[in-house]
Amino acid sequence: MTFITELENTFAANSNAENALPMAKYMKDLFPFFGIKTDERRALFKSVCKKHQVEINSNARTIAWELFTKKERELQYCGIEIIIKNLKNNYVIEDIVWIEKLLITNSWWDSVDTISKYILGDYLQQFPSEIDTVVKRFSDAENMWLNRSVILFQLGYKSKTDFSLLQHLCLKHSHSNAFFIRKAIGWALREYAKTDPEAVREFVLQSNLKPLSKKEALKNI
């Protein structure tokens, strides 16, 4: 039995209809769920992975993409987690093509935020020479999720954050009426405020950000 087949069978055997409905509702009914909560899902996932580690190691990209295009959200989460675990520091420069596909496929805040921070963010740390090209293409895109991804990709960078770039992106999208963009601007600034609160305060007070962005950015200062 292949890894994906066993994982699907395991999740189906542990499905919970009572959980599935509210989980789907929380995600605006965009995706069906098996109804397996996070801790249990990860435990089941880990158990199946142990039995198929050679297969996963040999085909991580293919397996991850196949899982991510399944209909149930829990399988999509597993696809993301395979990439995070198996490809960290092992990306190749061409991987940006399917990273972009991940961001624009089955898109919602939960997947996009994880991909932005842990996949796109790691990829651009590995290939910093690609930052200008990727940021320009994603921030100029008509797709809101690509815009959001480059506002958020530095979330884990802390003192390595390029604050000038973050400011540029916040200002570039400051007039957006999209909730997920306004929220992302505030979140990215709030996160960097943990490193340099005065720089964030000064930027926010001097810029013409939307009220939601300002509120989120200054929440913990």
Side-chain angles (χ1 to χ4, degrees):
M1 186 181 298
T2 66
F3 165 68
I4 291 178
T5 299
E6 182 162 356
L7 185 65
E8 286 184 293
N9 290 346
T10 300
F11 280 6
N14 288 273
S15 61
N16 184 317
E18 290 185 6
N19 290 338
L21 288 175
M23 290 169 77
K25 186 176 181 180
Y26 182 64
M27 291 297 166
K28 307 296 184 183
D29 291 315
L30 292 170
F31 316 99
F33 281 78
F34 286 108
I36 306 172
K37 294 189 175 180
T38 301
D39 288 346
E40 182 184 2
R41 174 183 64 77
R42 285 180 172 158
L44 293 170
F45 178 52
K46 183 178 181 180
S47 176
V48 177
C49 281
K50 282 184 178 179
K51 297 164 63 176
H52 296 272
Q53 200 59 61
V54 173
E55 179 189 354
I56 295 169
N57 290 343
S58 301
N59 303 281
R61 290 171 177 82
T62 301
I63 289 171
W65 178 250
E66 185 172 342
L67 285 173
F68 194 70
T69 54
K70 295 287 184 180
K71 65 179 183 177
E72 291 88 1
R73 198 61 163 170
E74 290 97 335
L75 293 172
Q76 296 170 19
Y77 293 152
C78 290
I80 293 172
E81 290 172 12
I82 283 175
I83 295 168
I84 292 171
K85 180 179 178 181
N86 287 268
L87 296 186
K88 184 175 177 63
N89 299 322
N90 287 304
Y91 291 102
V92 297
I93 203 161
E94 295 81 9
D95 283 336
I96 194 60
V97 175
W98 61 258
I99 292 173
E100 182 173 355
K101 285 176 64 179
L102 283 173
L103 287 164
I104 63 176
T105 302
N106 292 325
S107 306
W108 198 236
W109 62 265
D110 56 336
S111 60
V112 170
D113 292 359
T114 304
I115 294 164
S116 300
K117 179 178 180 179
Y118 295 104
I119 298 178
L120 179 62
D122 284 351
Y123 171 89
L124 291 175
Q125 280 193 313
Q126 187 177 335
F127 299 109
S129 62
E130 295 298 299
I131 290 175
D132 289 348
T133 300
V134 172
V135 166
K136 185 177 190 315
R137 187 167 84 252
F138 285 16
S139 66
D140 286 347
E142 294 184 3
N143 185 288
M144 175 189 68
W145 300 111
L146 291 178
N147 301 161
R148 182 174 167 99
S149 74
V150 287
I151 295 170
L152 298 179
F153 83 92
Q154 297 189 88
L155 280 176
Y157 284 23
K158 299 181 179 179
S159 62
K160 295 180 180 179
T161 300
D162 183 340
F163 187 46
S164 294
L165 175 59
L166 178 57
Q167 291 176 86
H168 166 73
L169 291 168
C170 290
L171 293 174
K172 181 173 182 175
H173 295 284
S174 62
H175 300 295
S176 174
N177 289 318
F179 170 81
F180 287 111
I181 296 299
R182 289 179 282 140
K183 190 81 169 180
I185 290 171
W187 181 19
L189 291 170
R190 184 173 75 247
E191 188 66 21
Y192 184 63
K194 296 176 183 177
T195 298
D196 193 341
E198 289 309 312
V200 171
R201 185 199 303 273
E202 182 179 358
F203 170 67
V204 171
L205 294 179
Q206 292 180 358
S207 60
N208 191 31
L209 300 178
K210 297 281 189 180
L212 175 61
S213 299
K214 289 186 176 185
K215 178 183 177 182
E216 290 293 325
L218 299 176
K219 185 177 289 185
N220 297 325
I221 298 179

